[in-house]
Short mmCIF file of all heavy atoms in Angstrom, two decimals:
data_model
loop_
_atom_site.label_atom_id
_atom_site.label_comp_id
_atom_site.label_asym_id
_atom_site.label_seq_id
_atom_site.Cartn_x
_atom_site.Cartn_y
_atom_site.Cartn_z
N MET A 1242 103.67 -61.62 44.72
CA MET A 1242 103.92 -62.43 45.87
C MET A 1242 103.76 -61.62 47.15
O MET A 1242 103.32 -62.13 48.15
CB MET A 1242 105.33 -63.03 45.80
CG MET A 1242 105.56 -63.96 44.61
SD MET A 1242 104.32 -65.24 44.47
CE MET A 1242 103.59 -64.87 42.91
N ARG A 1243 104.12 -60.34 47.06
CA ARG A 1243 103.97 -59.49 48.24
C ARG A 1243 102.52 -59.45 48.70
O ARG A 1243 102.23 -59.62 49.88
CB ARG A 1243 104.44 -58.06 47.96
CG ARG A 1243 104.39 -57.18 49.23
CD ARG A 1243 104.28 -55.69 48.91
NE ARG A 1243 102.97 -55.31 48.44
CZ ARG A 1243 101.92 -55.02 49.23
NH1 ARG A 1243 102.00 -55.14 50.53
NH2 ARG A 1243 100.78 -54.65 48.70
N GLU A 1244 101.62 -59.25 47.75
CA GLU A 1244 100.21 -59.13 48.11
C GLU A 1244 99.66 -60.43 48.70
O GLU A 1244 98.89 -60.41 49.64
CB GLU A 1244 99.38 -58.69 46.90
CG GLU A 1244 99.58 -57.25 46.49
CD GLU A 1244 100.83 -57.03 45.65
OE1 GLU A 1244 101.47 -58.03 45.24
OE2 GLU A 1244 101.18 -55.87 45.41
N LEU A 1245 100.07 -61.56 48.12
CA LEU A 1245 99.62 -62.85 48.64
C LEU A 1245 100.09 -63.04 50.08
O LEU A 1245 99.30 -63.37 50.97
CB LEU A 1245 100.14 -63.99 47.76
CG LEU A 1245 99.88 -65.41 48.28
CD1 LEU A 1245 98.38 -65.68 48.38
CD2 LEU A 1245 100.57 -66.43 47.38
N CYS A 1246 101.37 -62.84 50.32
CA CYS A 1246 101.92 -63.02 51.66
C CYS A 1246 101.33 -62.01 52.64
O CYS A 1246 101.01 -62.35 53.78
CB CYS A 1246 103.45 -62.92 51.63
SG CYS A 1246 104.23 -64.26 50.71
N TRP A 1247 101.17 -60.78 52.21
CA TRP A 1247 100.60 -59.75 53.06
C TRP A 1247 99.16 -60.10 53.44
O TRP A 1247 98.78 -60.03 54.60
CB TRP A 1247 100.65 -58.40 52.33
CG TRP A 1247 100.06 -57.26 53.10
CD1 TRP A 1247 100.69 -56.50 54.04
CD2 TRP A 1247 98.72 -56.77 53.00
NE1 TRP A 1247 99.82 -55.55 54.52
CE2 TRP A 1247 98.61 -55.70 53.89
CE3 TRP A 1247 97.62 -57.13 52.23
CZ2 TRP A 1247 97.43 -54.98 54.04
CZ3 TRP A 1247 96.45 -56.42 52.39
CH2 TRP A 1247 96.36 -55.35 53.29
N ALA A 1248 98.35 -60.50 52.45
CA ALA A 1248 96.95 -60.81 52.70
C ALA A 1248 96.80 -62.02 53.62
O ALA A 1248 95.97 -62.01 54.53
CB ALA A 1248 96.22 -61.07 51.38
N LEU A 1249 97.61 -63.05 53.40
CA LEU A 1249 97.53 -64.23 54.28
C LEU A 1249 97.90 -63.86 55.71
O LEU A 1249 97.28 -64.33 56.66
CB LEU A 1249 98.43 -65.34 53.75
CG LEU A 1249 97.95 -66.01 52.46
CD1 LEU A 1249 99.01 -66.97 51.95
CD2 LEU A 1249 96.63 -66.73 52.68
N GLY A 1250 98.92 -63.03 55.87
CA GLY A 1250 99.30 -62.58 57.20
C GLY A 1250 98.18 -61.80 57.87
O GLY A 1250 97.90 -61.99 59.06
N ARG A 1251 97.53 -60.93 57.11
CA ARG A 1251 96.41 -60.15 57.66
C ARG A 1251 95.25 -61.05 58.07
O ARG A 1251 94.48 -60.71 58.95
CB ARG A 1251 95.92 -59.12 56.64
CG ARG A 1251 96.92 -58.05 56.25
CD ARG A 1251 97.04 -57.02 57.30
NE ARG A 1251 95.79 -56.29 57.42
CZ ARG A 1251 95.69 -55.03 57.72
NH1 ARG A 1251 96.77 -54.33 57.90
NH2 ARG A 1251 94.52 -54.46 57.84
N CYS A 1252 95.13 -62.21 57.43
CA CYS A 1252 94.06 -63.16 57.77
C CYS A 1252 94.47 -64.04 58.95
O CYS A 1252 93.71 -64.92 59.35
CB CYS A 1252 93.74 -64.05 56.58
SG CYS A 1252 92.93 -63.19 55.23
N GLY A 1253 95.66 -63.83 59.47
CA GLY A 1253 96.12 -64.61 60.62
C GLY A 1253 96.83 -65.90 60.28
O GLY A 1253 97.14 -66.69 61.16
N LYS A 1254 97.08 -66.13 59.00
CA LYS A 1254 97.78 -67.35 58.59
C LYS A 1254 99.26 -67.23 58.95
O LYS A 1254 99.84 -66.16 58.87
CB LYS A 1254 97.62 -67.60 57.09
CG LYS A 1254 96.19 -67.72 56.63
CD LYS A 1254 95.51 -68.88 57.30
CE LYS A 1254 94.08 -69.01 56.81
NZ LYS A 1254 93.33 -69.99 57.55
N LYS A 1255 99.86 -68.34 59.32
CA LYS A 1255 101.27 -68.35 59.71
C LYS A 1255 102.14 -69.16 58.77
O LYS A 1255 103.35 -69.01 58.77
CB LYS A 1255 101.42 -68.91 61.13
CG LYS A 1255 100.70 -68.10 62.19
CD LYS A 1255 101.28 -66.71 62.26
CE LYS A 1255 100.58 -65.88 63.34
NZ LYS A 1255 100.92 -64.47 63.25
N HIS A 1256 101.53 -70.04 57.96
CA HIS A 1256 102.31 -70.94 57.09
C HIS A 1256 101.67 -70.99 55.71
O HIS A 1256 100.46 -71.12 55.59
CB HIS A 1256 102.36 -72.33 57.71
CG HIS A 1256 103.17 -73.30 56.91
ND1 HIS A 1256 102.83 -74.62 56.80
CD2 HIS A 1256 104.29 -73.15 56.18
CE1 HIS A 1256 103.71 -75.25 56.03
NE2 HIS A 1256 104.61 -74.37 55.64
N LEU A 1257 102.50 -70.87 54.69
CA LEU A 1257 102.04 -70.99 53.31
C LEU A 1257 102.79 -72.14 52.66
O LEU A 1257 104.02 -72.17 52.69
CB LEU A 1257 102.32 -69.69 52.54
CG LEU A 1257 102.17 -69.74 51.02
CD1 LEU A 1257 100.73 -70.05 50.62
CD2 LEU A 1257 102.63 -68.44 50.40
N GLY A 1258 102.07 -73.09 52.09
CA GLY A 1258 102.65 -74.16 51.29
C GLY A 1258 102.26 -73.90 49.84
O GLY A 1258 101.08 -73.67 49.55
N THR A 1259 103.23 -73.90 48.93
CA THR A 1259 102.94 -73.52 47.55
C THR A 1259 103.94 -74.15 46.58
O THR A 1259 105.02 -74.57 46.97
CB THR A 1259 102.99 -71.98 47.39
OG1 THR A 1259 102.63 -71.63 46.06
CG2 THR A 1259 104.37 -71.42 47.71
N VAL A 1260 103.54 -74.20 45.34
CA VAL A 1260 104.47 -74.52 44.26
C VAL A 1260 105.12 -73.20 43.85
O VAL A 1260 104.68 -72.12 44.23
CB VAL A 1260 103.75 -75.17 43.05
CG1 VAL A 1260 103.15 -76.50 43.45
CG2 VAL A 1260 102.70 -74.25 42.48
N LEU A 1261 106.18 -73.29 43.06
CA LEU A 1261 106.83 -72.08 42.55
C LEU A 1261 106.00 -71.54 41.39
O LEU A 1261 106.20 -71.92 40.23
CB LEU A 1261 108.26 -72.36 42.11
CG LEU A 1261 109.28 -72.42 43.21
CD1 LEU A 1261 110.64 -72.82 42.66
CD2 LEU A 1261 109.38 -71.09 43.95
N ILE A 1262 105.07 -70.67 41.69
CA ILE A 1262 104.20 -70.09 40.69
C ILE A 1262 105.06 -69.36 39.66
O ILE A 1262 105.89 -68.54 40.01
CB ILE A 1262 103.19 -69.12 41.33
CG1 ILE A 1262 102.32 -69.88 42.32
CG2 ILE A 1262 102.36 -68.42 40.27
CD1 ILE A 1262 101.48 -68.99 43.22
N GLY A 1263 104.88 -69.69 38.38
CA GLY A 1263 105.61 -69.04 37.31
C GLY A 1263 106.81 -69.80 36.80
O GLY A 1263 107.48 -69.37 35.87
N SER A 1264 107.09 -70.96 37.39
CA SER A 1264 108.30 -71.69 36.99
C SER A 1264 108.01 -72.88 36.08
O SER A 1264 108.86 -73.73 35.89
CB SER A 1264 109.06 -72.19 38.23
OG SER A 1264 108.33 -73.21 38.88
N GLY A 1265 106.82 -72.91 35.50
CA GLY A 1265 106.47 -74.01 34.60
C GLY A 1265 107.28 -73.97 33.31
O GLY A 1265 108.07 -73.06 33.07
N ASN A 1266 107.08 -74.97 32.49
CA ASN A 1266 107.81 -75.05 31.22
C ASN A 1266 107.60 -73.79 30.39
O ASN A 1266 106.48 -73.36 30.17
CB ASN A 1266 107.36 -76.27 30.42
CG ASN A 1266 107.81 -77.56 31.06
OD1 ASN A 1266 108.80 -77.57 31.79
ND2 ASN A 1266 107.10 -78.64 30.80
N GLY A 1267 108.72 -73.22 29.93
CA GLY A 1267 108.65 -72.04 29.09
C GLY A 1267 108.45 -70.74 29.84
O GLY A 1267 108.30 -69.69 29.22
N ASN A 1268 108.44 -70.77 31.15
CA ASN A 1268 108.26 -69.56 31.95
C ASN A 1268 109.58 -69.15 32.59
O ASN A 1268 110.64 -69.39 32.03
CB ASN A 1268 107.18 -69.79 33.01
CG ASN A 1268 105.80 -69.89 32.40
OD1 ASN A 1268 105.46 -69.18 31.48
ND2 ASN A 1268 105.01 -70.80 32.92
N LEU A 1269 109.52 -68.59 33.75
CA LEU A 1269 110.71 -68.16 34.47
C LEU A 1269 111.54 -69.35 34.92
O LEU A 1269 111.01 -70.44 35.14
CB LEU A 1269 110.32 -67.33 35.70
CG LEU A 1269 109.54 -66.05 35.45
CD1 LEU A 1269 109.07 -65.46 36.76
CD2 LEU A 1269 110.37 -65.05 34.68
N SER A 1270 112.83 -69.11 35.11
CA SER A 1270 113.68 -70.16 35.66
C SER A 1270 113.36 -70.33 37.14
O SER A 1270 112.77 -69.45 37.78
CB SER A 1270 115.16 -69.80 35.49
OG SER A 1270 115.50 -68.73 36.35
N THR A 1271 113.76 -71.46 37.70
CA THR A 1271 113.56 -71.70 39.13
C THR A 1271 114.23 -70.61 39.94
O THR A 1271 113.65 -70.08 40.90
CB THR A 1271 114.11 -73.08 39.52
OG1 THR A 1271 113.43 -74.08 38.74
CG2 THR A 1271 113.89 -73.37 40.99
N ARG A 1272 115.44 -70.24 39.56
CA ARG A 1272 116.17 -69.19 40.27
C ARG A 1272 115.40 -67.86 40.25
O ARG A 1272 115.27 -67.20 41.28
CB ARG A 1272 117.55 -69.01 39.66
CG ARG A 1272 118.38 -67.94 40.35
CD ARG A 1272 119.72 -67.75 39.65
NE ARG A 1272 120.49 -66.76 40.32
CZ ARG A 1272 121.49 -67.01 41.16
NH1 ARG A 1272 121.83 -68.25 41.41
NH2 ARG A 1272 122.14 -66.03 41.74
N GLN A 1273 114.88 -67.47 39.09
CA GLN A 1273 114.12 -66.23 38.98
C GLN A 1273 112.87 -66.28 39.86
O GLN A 1273 112.52 -65.27 40.50
CB GLN A 1273 113.73 -65.97 37.53
CG GLN A 1273 114.88 -65.59 36.64
CD GLN A 1273 114.47 -65.55 35.18
OE1 GLN A 1273 113.78 -66.44 34.70
NE2 GLN A 1273 114.89 -64.51 34.48
N CYS A 1274 112.20 -67.41 39.89
CA CYS A 1274 111.00 -67.55 40.72
C CYS A 1274 111.32 -67.43 42.20
O CYS A 1274 110.63 -66.73 42.94
CB CYS A 1274 110.31 -68.88 40.45
SG CYS A 1274 109.35 -68.87 38.93
N VAL A 1275 112.37 -68.11 42.63
CA VAL A 1275 112.75 -68.05 44.04
C VAL A 1275 113.13 -66.62 44.41
O VAL A 1275 112.72 -66.11 45.46
CB VAL A 1275 113.89 -69.04 44.35
CG1 VAL A 1275 114.45 -68.81 45.74
CG2 VAL A 1275 113.39 -70.47 44.20
N GLU A 1276 113.88 -65.94 43.56
CA GLU A 1276 114.26 -64.56 43.84
C GLU A 1276 113.03 -63.65 43.93
O GLU A 1276 112.95 -62.79 44.82
CB GLU A 1276 115.22 -64.04 42.76
CG GLU A 1276 116.60 -64.65 42.86
CD GLU A 1276 117.50 -64.28 41.70
OE1 GLU A 1276 117.03 -63.67 40.71
OE2 GLU A 1276 118.70 -64.62 41.78
N ALA A 1277 112.06 -63.85 43.05
CA ALA A 1277 110.83 -63.05 43.09
C ALA A 1277 110.04 -63.32 44.37
O ALA A 1277 109.53 -62.40 45.00
CB ALA A 1277 109.97 -63.34 41.86
N TRP A 1278 109.95 -64.59 44.75
CA TRP A 1278 109.27 -64.95 45.99
C TRP A 1278 109.94 -64.30 47.19
O TRP A 1278 109.27 -63.72 48.05
CB TRP A 1278 109.25 -66.46 46.18
CG TRP A 1278 108.04 -67.11 45.62
CD1 TRP A 1278 107.90 -67.71 44.41
CD2 TRP A 1278 106.77 -67.26 46.28
NE1 TRP A 1278 106.62 -68.21 44.27
CE2 TRP A 1278 105.92 -67.95 45.40
CE3 TRP A 1278 106.29 -66.87 47.51
CZ2 TRP A 1278 104.60 -68.24 45.73
CZ3 TRP A 1278 104.98 -67.16 47.84
CH2 TRP A 1278 104.15 -67.84 46.95
N VAL A 1279 111.26 -64.37 47.25
CA VAL A 1279 111.98 -63.80 48.40
C VAL A 1279 111.77 -62.29 48.47
O VAL A 1279 111.54 -61.74 49.55
CB VAL A 1279 113.47 -64.18 48.34
CG1 VAL A 1279 114.28 -63.40 49.36
CG2 VAL A 1279 113.65 -65.67 48.55
N ARG A 1280 111.82 -61.62 47.32
CA ARG A 1280 111.56 -60.17 47.31
C ARG A 1280 110.14 -59.87 47.80
O ARG A 1280 109.93 -58.95 48.60
CB ARG A 1280 111.74 -59.60 45.90
CG ARG A 1280 113.17 -59.32 45.53
CD ARG A 1280 113.26 -58.48 44.26
NE ARG A 1280 112.45 -58.96 43.15
CZ ARG A 1280 112.84 -59.85 42.25
NH1 ARG A 1280 114.04 -60.38 42.32
NH2 ARG A 1280 112.03 -60.21 41.28
N GLY A 1281 109.17 -60.65 47.34
CA GLY A 1281 107.78 -60.43 47.75
C GLY A 1281 107.57 -60.70 49.23
O GLY A 1281 106.88 -59.94 49.92
N ILE A 1282 108.17 -61.77 49.74
CA ILE A 1282 108.05 -62.09 51.17
C ILE A 1282 108.67 -60.97 52.00
O ILE A 1282 108.10 -60.52 53.00
CB ILE A 1282 108.71 -63.45 51.48
CG1 ILE A 1282 107.92 -64.58 50.81
CG2 ILE A 1282 108.82 -63.67 52.98
CD1 ILE A 1282 108.66 -65.91 50.78
N LYS A 1283 109.84 -60.51 51.59
CA LYS A 1283 110.51 -59.42 52.32
C LYS A 1283 109.65 -58.17 52.34
O LYS A 1283 109.49 -57.52 53.38
CB LYS A 1283 111.87 -59.11 51.70
CG LYS A 1283 112.62 -58.01 52.44
CD LYS A 1283 113.91 -57.66 51.77
CE LYS A 1283 114.67 -56.58 52.50
NZ LYS A 1283 113.91 -55.46 52.97
N ARG A 1284 109.08 -57.83 51.20
CA ARG A 1284 108.22 -56.63 51.15
C ARG A 1284 106.99 -56.78 52.05
O ARG A 1284 106.58 -55.83 52.71
CB ARG A 1284 107.81 -56.33 49.72
CG ARG A 1284 108.96 -55.82 48.89
CD ARG A 1284 108.57 -55.58 47.46
NE ARG A 1284 109.72 -55.13 46.70
CZ ARG A 1284 109.83 -55.23 45.39
NH1 ARG A 1284 108.85 -55.75 44.68
NH2 ARG A 1284 110.91 -54.79 44.78
N ALA A 1285 106.40 -57.96 52.06
CA ALA A 1285 105.23 -58.19 52.93
C ALA A 1285 105.62 -58.07 54.40
O ALA A 1285 104.89 -57.47 55.19
CB ALA A 1285 104.63 -59.57 52.65
N LEU A 1286 106.77 -58.61 54.77
CA LEU A 1286 107.23 -58.50 56.16
C LEU A 1286 107.57 -57.06 56.52
O LEU A 1286 107.27 -56.60 57.62
CB LEU A 1286 108.44 -59.41 56.39
CG LEU A 1286 108.16 -60.91 56.35
CD1 LEU A 1286 109.47 -61.70 56.41
CD2 LEU A 1286 107.22 -61.32 57.47
N ASP A 1287 108.18 -56.34 55.59
CA ASP A 1287 108.48 -54.92 55.82
C ASP A 1287 107.20 -54.13 56.03
O ASP A 1287 107.12 -53.28 56.92
CB ASP A 1287 109.26 -54.32 54.65
CG ASP A 1287 110.70 -54.81 54.58
OD1 ASP A 1287 111.20 -55.41 55.57
OD2 ASP A 1287 111.33 -54.62 53.52
N ASP A 1288 106.17 -54.42 55.22
CA ASP A 1288 104.88 -53.73 55.37
C ASP A 1288 104.25 -54.03 56.73
O ASP A 1288 103.73 -53.14 57.38
CB ASP A 1288 103.92 -54.13 54.26
CG ASP A 1288 104.31 -53.57 52.90
OD1 ASP A 1288 105.20 -52.70 52.85
OD2 ASP A 1288 103.73 -54.02 51.89
N ALA A 1289 104.30 -55.28 57.15
CA ALA A 1289 103.74 -55.66 58.45
C ALA A 1289 104.48 -54.94 59.58
O ALA A 1289 103.86 -54.48 60.54
CB ALA A 1289 103.81 -57.18 58.65
N GLN A 1290 105.79 -54.82 59.44
CA GLN A 1290 106.57 -54.14 60.47
C GLN A 1290 106.22 -52.65 60.51
O GLN A 1290 106.07 -52.07 61.58
CB GLN A 1290 108.05 -54.33 60.21
CG GLN A 1290 108.93 -53.73 61.29
CD GLN A 1290 110.40 -53.96 61.03
OE1 GLN A 1290 110.80 -54.29 59.92
NE2 GLN A 1290 111.21 -53.78 62.04
N ARG A 1291 106.08 -52.02 59.33
CA ARG A 1291 105.72 -50.60 59.28
C ARG A 1291 104.34 -50.36 59.89
O ARG A 1291 104.11 -49.32 60.51
CB ARG A 1291 105.72 -50.11 57.84
CG ARG A 1291 107.03 -49.51 57.40
CD ARG A 1291 106.89 -48.72 56.13
NE ARG A 1291 106.35 -49.46 55.01
CZ ARG A 1291 107.03 -50.30 54.24
NH1 ARG A 1291 108.30 -50.50 54.48
NH2 ARG A 1291 106.45 -50.92 53.25
N GLU A 1292 103.45 -51.32 59.71
CA GLU A 1292 102.10 -51.20 60.26
C GLU A 1292 102.07 -51.60 61.73
O GLU A 1292 101.02 -51.54 62.36
CB GLU A 1292 101.13 -52.08 59.48
CG GLU A 1292 100.93 -51.66 58.04
CD GLU A 1292 100.13 -52.67 57.24
OE1 GLU A 1292 99.69 -53.69 57.81
OE2 GLU A 1292 99.94 -52.44 56.03
N ASP A 1293 103.22 -52.03 62.26
CA ASP A 1293 103.34 -52.49 63.65
C ASP A 1293 102.34 -53.60 63.95
O ASP A 1293 101.64 -53.58 64.93
CB ASP A 1293 103.15 -51.32 64.62
CG ASP A 1293 103.68 -51.66 66.01
OD1 ASP A 1293 104.58 -52.51 66.11
OD2 ASP A 1293 103.17 -51.07 66.99
N ARG A 1294 102.30 -54.59 63.03
CA ARG A 1294 101.38 -55.71 63.17
C ARG A 1294 102.15 -56.99 63.45
O ARG A 1294 103.21 -57.21 62.90
CB ARG A 1294 100.57 -55.89 61.89
CG ARG A 1294 99.69 -54.70 61.55
CD ARG A 1294 98.83 -55.00 60.36
NE ARG A 1294 97.98 -56.15 60.57
CZ ARG A 1294 96.75 -56.13 61.08
NH1 ARG A 1294 96.24 -54.99 61.43
NH2 ARG A 1294 96.05 -57.22 61.21
N ASP A 1295 101.58 -57.80 64.31
CA ASP A 1295 102.16 -59.12 64.58
C ASP A 1295 101.63 -60.17 63.60
O ASP A 1295 102.11 -61.29 63.60
CB ASP A 1295 101.84 -59.56 66.01
CG ASP A 1295 102.63 -58.76 67.03
OD1 ASP A 1295 103.73 -58.31 66.69
OD2 ASP A 1295 102.12 -58.58 68.16
N SER A 1296 100.65 -59.81 62.81
CA SER A 1296 100.05 -60.76 61.88
C SER A 1296 100.87 -60.83 60.60
O SER A 1296 100.78 -59.94 59.75
CB SER A 1296 98.62 -60.35 61.54
OG SER A 1296 97.83 -60.36 62.69
N HIS A 1297 101.69 -61.86 60.48
CA HIS A 1297 102.47 -62.08 59.27
C HIS A 1297 102.84 -63.56 59.18
O HIS A 1297 102.80 -64.28 60.17
CB HIS A 1297 103.73 -61.21 59.24
CG HIS A 1297 104.63 -61.42 60.41
ND1 HIS A 1297 104.47 -60.73 61.58
CD2 HIS A 1297 105.68 -62.24 60.59
CE1 HIS A 1297 105.40 -61.12 62.44
NE2 HIS A 1297 106.13 -62.04 61.87
N LEU A 1298 103.17 -63.98 57.99
CA LEU A 1298 103.60 -65.37 57.79
C LEU A 1298 104.89 -65.63 58.56
O LEU A 1298 105.75 -64.76 58.64
CB LEU A 1298 103.83 -65.65 56.30
CG LEU A 1298 102.62 -65.72 55.40
CD1 LEU A 1298 103.05 -65.91 53.95
CD2 LEU A 1298 101.68 -66.82 55.82
N LEU A 1299 105.01 -66.82 59.09
CA LEU A 1299 106.23 -67.24 59.76
C LEU A 1299 107.02 -68.25 58.95
O LEU A 1299 108.21 -68.42 59.15
CB LEU A 1299 105.91 -67.84 61.13
CG LEU A 1299 105.25 -66.91 62.13
CD1 LEU A 1299 104.90 -67.68 63.41
CD2 LEU A 1299 106.13 -65.72 62.44
N CYS A 1300 106.33 -68.93 58.00
CA CYS A 1300 106.96 -70.01 57.27
C CYS A 1300 106.37 -70.12 55.86
O CYS A 1300 105.16 -69.98 55.69
CB CYS A 1300 106.74 -71.32 58.03
SG CYS A 1300 107.49 -72.75 57.27
N VAL A 1301 107.24 -70.35 54.89
CA VAL A 1301 106.81 -70.63 53.52
C VAL A 1301 107.48 -71.92 53.08
O VAL A 1301 108.70 -72.05 53.20
CB VAL A 1301 107.18 -69.49 52.54
CG1 VAL A 1301 106.78 -69.84 51.12
CG2 VAL A 1301 106.52 -68.18 52.98
N THR A 1302 106.69 -72.88 52.61
CA THR A 1302 107.21 -74.16 52.13
C THR A 1302 106.94 -74.26 50.64
O THR A 1302 105.81 -74.11 50.19
CB THR A 1302 106.50 -75.33 52.86
OG1 THR A 1302 106.71 -75.20 54.26
CG2 THR A 1302 107.03 -76.67 52.37
N PHE A 1303 108.01 -74.51 49.88
CA PHE A 1303 107.88 -74.70 48.44
C PHE A 1303 107.85 -76.19 48.14
O PHE A 1303 108.64 -76.95 48.69
CB PHE A 1303 109.05 -74.04 47.70
CG PHE A 1303 109.07 -72.56 47.83
CD1 PHE A 1303 109.96 -71.93 48.67
CD2 PHE A 1303 108.16 -71.78 47.12
CE1 PHE A 1303 109.98 -70.55 48.79
CE2 PHE A 1303 108.17 -70.40 47.23
CZ PHE A 1303 109.09 -69.80 48.08
N VAL A 1304 106.95 -76.58 47.25
CA VAL A 1304 106.81 -77.97 46.84
C VAL A 1304 107.29 -78.08 45.40
O VAL A 1304 106.83 -77.34 44.53
CB VAL A 1304 105.35 -78.44 46.95
CG1 VAL A 1304 105.19 -79.88 46.48
CG2 VAL A 1304 104.84 -78.27 48.38
N GLU A 1305 108.22 -79.00 45.15
CA GLU A 1305 108.72 -79.22 43.79
C GLU A 1305 108.89 -80.72 43.59
O GLU A 1305 109.59 -81.39 44.35
CB GLU A 1305 110.06 -78.51 43.60
CG GLU A 1305 110.68 -78.73 42.24
CD GLU A 1305 109.78 -78.33 41.09
OE1 GLU A 1305 109.46 -77.15 40.96
OE2 GLU A 1305 109.41 -79.24 40.31
N TYR A 1306 108.22 -81.26 42.58
CA TYR A 1306 108.28 -82.70 42.32
C TYR A 1306 109.40 -83.09 41.35
O TYR A 1306 109.79 -84.23 41.30
CB TYR A 1306 106.94 -83.18 41.76
CG TYR A 1306 105.84 -83.14 42.80
CD1 TYR A 1306 104.83 -82.20 42.73
CD2 TYR A 1306 105.84 -84.03 43.87
CE1 TYR A 1306 103.85 -82.14 43.69
CE2 TYR A 1306 104.85 -83.99 44.83
CZ TYR A 1306 103.86 -83.04 44.73
OH TYR A 1306 102.89 -82.99 45.68
N ASP A 1307 109.92 -82.12 40.62
CA ASP A 1307 110.97 -82.41 39.65
C ASP A 1307 112.34 -82.28 40.32
O ASP A 1307 112.79 -81.17 40.62
CB ASP A 1307 110.88 -81.43 38.47
CG ASP A 1307 111.90 -81.73 37.37
OD1 ASP A 1307 112.78 -82.61 37.57
OD2 ASP A 1307 111.82 -81.08 36.32
N PRO A 1308 113.02 -83.40 40.58
CA PRO A 1308 114.31 -83.33 41.28
C PRO A 1308 115.37 -82.57 40.49
O PRO A 1308 116.34 -82.09 41.07
CB PRO A 1308 114.70 -84.80 41.45
CG PRO A 1308 113.88 -85.57 40.50
CD PRO A 1308 112.65 -84.76 40.23
N LEU A 1309 115.20 -82.41 39.18
CA LEU A 1309 116.16 -81.65 38.39
C LEU A 1309 116.08 -80.15 38.64
O LEU A 1309 117.00 -79.41 38.33
CB LEU A 1309 115.99 -81.96 36.90
CG LEU A 1309 116.21 -83.41 36.50
CD1 LEU A 1309 115.90 -83.60 35.02
CD2 LEU A 1309 117.64 -83.84 36.82
N LYS A 1310 114.96 -79.69 39.19
CA LYS A 1310 114.79 -78.26 39.47
C LYS A 1310 115.28 -77.87 40.86
O LYS A 1310 115.42 -76.69 41.13
CB LYS A 1310 113.32 -77.88 39.34
CG LYS A 1310 112.82 -77.83 37.93
CD LYS A 1310 111.43 -77.27 37.92
CE LYS A 1310 110.94 -77.04 36.51
NZ LYS A 1310 109.59 -76.44 36.52
N ILE A 1311 115.50 -78.83 41.70
CA ILE A 1311 115.86 -78.50 43.09
C ILE A 1311 117.31 -78.08 43.17
O ILE A 1311 118.18 -78.60 42.58
CB ILE A 1311 115.58 -79.70 44.02
CG1 ILE A 1311 114.08 -79.96 44.03
CG2 ILE A 1311 116.11 -79.46 45.40
CD1 ILE A 1311 113.67 -81.16 44.83
#
């Protein structure tokens, strides 16, 4: 997730809309996926700050159609 967020920021993107990659049936739990995403986003933002770059994501929107997972 870090690499995805970092690369999108470097491309000048400000918003990412995504499903919870890895949370399908038989995979990681929703909680584990959200925690992994948050860690990756934080690392990407930390990298952008270390590089003294203004190019980073400002918003991430997760899409989930199953109300039992929310």
Side-chain angles (χ1 to χ4, degrees):
M1242 298 308 118
R1243 184 204 74 84
E1244 288 81 9
L1245 173 62
C1246 294
W1247 179 85
L1249 290 173
R1251 296 283 294 214
C1252 291
K1254 302 299 181 188
K1255 299 297 181 192
H1256 182 216
L1257 168 64
T1259 184
V1260 296
L1261 280 175
I1262 299 168
S1264 69
N1266 290 335
N1268 290 321
L1269 299 173
S1270 70
T1271 301
R1272 180 183 180 101
Q1273 290 171 315
C1274 282
V1275 170
E1276 288 173 352
W1278 268 97
V1279 170
R1280 279 193 311 272
I1282 293 167
K1283 181 184 181 316
R1284 289 178 182 158
L1286 291 172
D1287 288 347
D1288 289 349
Q1290 184 179 17
R1291 267 195 303 280
E1292 294 172 2
D1293 197 26
R1294 297 185 59 91
D1295 288 331
S1296 297
H1297 57 273
L1298 289 176
L1299 297 176
C1300 181
V1301 177
T1302 301
F1303 294 104
V1304 178
E1305 178 56 64
Y1306 291 108
D1307 183 353
L1309 299 176
K1310 286 188 173 182
I1311 296 176

